[in-house]
Amino acid sequence: MPVAGEARRPMYNNLRRFRAHAKISRAELAATIDVNVQTIGALERGSYSPSLYLALLIADALDVPLIELFGLADTVNSNRTGTH
């Protein structure tokens, strides 16, 4: 956990890529996990970080491992393709 004044590590986000691959619209995904479509848009833009619960719901709905959808960008995960 960052100490006050420390920079936060960036997070990668592959939601848009996996949702498009699954051929599911934002509205369909939102309805499946019972959130507003605006929430999906904010997640895809990176302007909102999901709670662990929401991230797990999305991973389950898209049938994708959570670590492939979201995670902390670091040397271990730097080969993942997503937004940072």
Side-chain angles (χ1 to χ4, degrees):
M1 178 172 240
V3 177
E6 252 184 38
R8 296 183 93 176
R9 288 174 33 202
M11 188 173 147
Y12 64 85
N13 174 343
N14 292 314
L15 176 55
R16 181 176 289 144
R17 181 170 62 97
F18 281 107
R19 183 184 56 76
H21 179 73
K23 297 182 174 141
I24 296 173
S25 70
R26 286 180 180 176
E28 290 169 319
L29 179 57
T32 299
I33 61 173
D34 197 28
V35 298
N36 293 322
V37 69
Q38 292 86 354
T39 299
I40 302 302
L43 288 165
E44 289 185 351
R45 287 189 305 278
S47 60
Y48 175 69
S49 294
S51 66
L52 177 57
Y53 180 73
L54 181 56
L56 289 167
L57 287 176
I58 295 168
D60 186 58
L62 295 176
D63 196 28
V64 174
L66 178 60
I67 193 70
E68 295 295 321
L69 277 176
F70 305 104
L72 295 176
D74 59 26
T75 55
V76 174
N77 295 322
S78 63
N79 63 345
R80 304 216 188 273
T81 56
T83 43
H84 298 281

